[in-house]
Amino acid sequence: MVPAKLKIGDEIRVIAPSTSHSILSKENIELSTHRLEQLGLKVTFGKHINECNSLMTSSIESRIEDLHDAFKDNNVKAILTSIGGYQANQLLSYIDFDLIRDNPKIFCGYSDITALGNAIYAKAGLVTYSGVHFSSFGMMNGFEYSLEHFKKMLLEDAGSSFEVEKSSEWSNDAWYMDQENRKFYPNEGYLVINEGECEGTIIGGNLCTLNLLQGTEFMPNLKGSVLFLEDDKLTCPKTFDRDLQSLIHQTGFTDVKGIVIGRFEKVSNVTNELIKTIVQTKKELSHIPVVANADFGHTSPMFTFPIGGNVKLQVKKNDVKITLHTI
């Protein structure tokens, strides 16, 4: 199931299934809300999002109630997660997937939200979206690319497919701590590791979070998929290598069609040469297209992509095309 796109006047519900919304600054909340309202959307908030315990989240019961309320409410057309964190997979056994299946709507977030997006697709058959959080809209500078690709994927009249554009520059700083002193780097383009062409169903997001689903009923079927994978500042070359290897060992991986790797954070020290080494040591990947340094993950900006949606991937030495289907 592909949820209906957003149109002017639609309501977006913000929920916090991971870290509490209460950690966001007043300025962030105001700018994020303003930006969404500029798109013609109405912004509402889950009633428990500001609860905060010693783990910087709210109770499972509160988070489940907000999630279910958002899907139940016929006025709500899209659900945006406030921010990522660590505890989203606590919710999986408590989710009413029949409720979600009966009330399909846009669900979007990234990082820790990878657990929910992929589980909802696996259990309810609903296409979800790996993309900006609500809090991402509070970025004052360098947000244009992320906003444009959010609109291309999720807003009405944006078309049925589009080719992902390469950003002109990117950043990897704590922008939410200092909006004025930002550092941007020129985008040197994709890192082509294996050439080839393929088409398939997108599965993925944050690799270490996706791997939390291994061996459970919440893990999507990898057969016929194109994996979109990224990792955060807690990774390093060795942990990315073993996390990727763990995914390779999953049932259905022999039928994976290709891999797109999101740009790594600088602190991870995963260089282009190390990415190549990691991929090239895995014979299971030798026959499929693999490309890295794509504009998604824990650097900015990012494009929004559909988990369970279709992608066409064309990887040549000096030409990479990623075409996403939106309906």
Side-chain angles (χ1 to χ4, degrees):
M1 293 182 294
V2 181
K5 290 187 178 184
L6 291 167
K7 61 182 184 298
I8 291 175
D10 279 350
E11 179 180 337
I12 285 186
R13 178 68 51 80
V14 179
I15 64 171
S18 190
T19 295
S20 171
H21 184 81
S22 65
I23 73 164
L24 302 185
S25 68
K26 180 184 177 206
E27 293 76 17
N28 180 288
I29 294 169
E30 289 177 350
L31 180 54
S32 296
T33 302
H34 176 67
R35 277 224 175 101
L36 287 163
E37 288 176 344
Q38 282 184 315
L39 298 177
L41 305 172
K42 177 184 177 183
V43 181
T44 59
F45 299 90
K47 63 183 178 181
H48 299 294
I49 60 172
N50 286 310
E51 291 180 11
C52 190
N53 59 26
S54 57
L55 293 176
M56 299 302 295
T57 187
S58 61
S59 69
I60 291 173
E61 292 78 11
S62 291
R63 286 179 282 156
I64 284 293
E65 183 178 344
D66 281 356
L67 177 68
H68 286 168
D69 283 351
F71 274 102
K72 284 178 188 174
D73 192 332
N74 290 331
N75 293 321
V76 173
K77 305 304 179 185
I79 303 166
L80 269 184
T81 54
S82 177
I83 197 169
Y86 292 93
Q87 285 87 22
N89 73 326
Q90 292 175 336
L91 307 183
L92 297 178
S93 298
Y94 302 89
I95 295 174
D96 184 343
F97 292 102
D98 289 333
L99 169 69
I100 293 174
R101 188 181 301 110
D102 292 341
N103 297 275
K105 58 191 66 178
I106 291 167
F107 179 85
C108 183
Y110 76 104
S111 191
D112 194 47
I113 308 305
T114 296
L116 298 179
N118 284 273
I120 289 171
Y121 171 64
K123 295 287 288 181
L126 175 66
V127 170
T128 61
Y129 299 90
S130 181
V132 289
H133 297 305
F134 167 79
S135 56
S136 305
F137 285 82
M139 183 184 295
M140 288 175 56
N141 302 309
F143 186 65
E144 295 82 5
Y145 176 98
S146 299
L147 178 60
E148 186 61 27
H149 284 74
F150 175 85
K151 290 161 60 177
K152 283 183 176 181
M153 178 55 64
L154 297 178
L155 267 64
E156 190 178 53
D157 300 327
S160 60
S161 65
F162 67 93
E163 184 179 326
V164 174
E165 302 165 9
K166 178 178 70 69
S167 67
S168 59
E169 57 183 14
W170 62 280
S171 65
N172 185 204
D173 47 27
W175 59 268
Y176 44 88
M177 301 290 290
D178 187 348
Q179 294 267 27
E180 301 298 332
N181 298 301
R182 304 284 307 282
K183 186 170 184 179
F184 293 90
Y185 307 92
N187 188 352
E188 297 179 354
Y190 295 105
L191 173 66
V192 173
I193 304 173
N194 293 343
E195 294 183 288
E197 294 188 12
C198 67
E199 191 165 355
T201 302
I202 300 174
I203 299 295
N206 183 247
L207 175 58
C208 64
T209 304
L210 178 67
N211 280 359
L212 298 175
L213 305 181
Q214 291 183 10
T216 75
E217 63 189 287
F218 310 110
M219 183 72 180
N221 189 339
L222 299 181
K223 186 175 181 180
S225 68
V226 177
L227 299 177
F228 279 45
L229 305 174
E230 57 87 16
D231 226 324
D232 55 39
K233 63 184 179 183
L234 297 181
T235 198
C236 69
K238 292 178 181 179
T239 55
F240 179 74
D241 179 273
R242 70 178 181 180
D243 284 347
L244 179 58
Q245 189 66 58
S246 181
L247 191 59
I248 287 171
H249 291 159
Q250 297 307 295
T251 301
F253 191 92
T254 53
D255 292 312
V256 166
K257 303 298 183 184
I259 299 179
V260 181
I261 301 172
R263 185 181 293 107
F264 285 90
E265 294 197 75
K266 282 185 169 293
V267 71
S268 71
N269 293 316
V270 182
T271 64
N272 285 352
E273 288 307 311
L274 284 168
I275 299 173
K276 284 183 177 180
T277 297
I278 289 168
V279 171
Q280 290 170 350
T281 58
K282 304 185 187 310
K283 63 180 182 180
E284 301 93 340
L285 307 183
S286 61
H287 65 292
I288 62 174
V290 181
V291 62
N293 293 343
D295 287 303
F296 67 89
H298 283 72
T299 63
S300 298
M302 69 177 73
F303 62 82
T304 297
F305 61 84
I307 297 170
N310 185 267
V311 62
K312 183 175 182 179
L313 179 62
Q314 299 164 284
V315 181
K316 298 178 182 179
K317 186 175 181 180
N318 297 310
D319 186 25
V320 173
K321 292 182 180 178
I322 301 172
T323 304
L324 299 177
H325 298 273
T326 67
I327 59 175

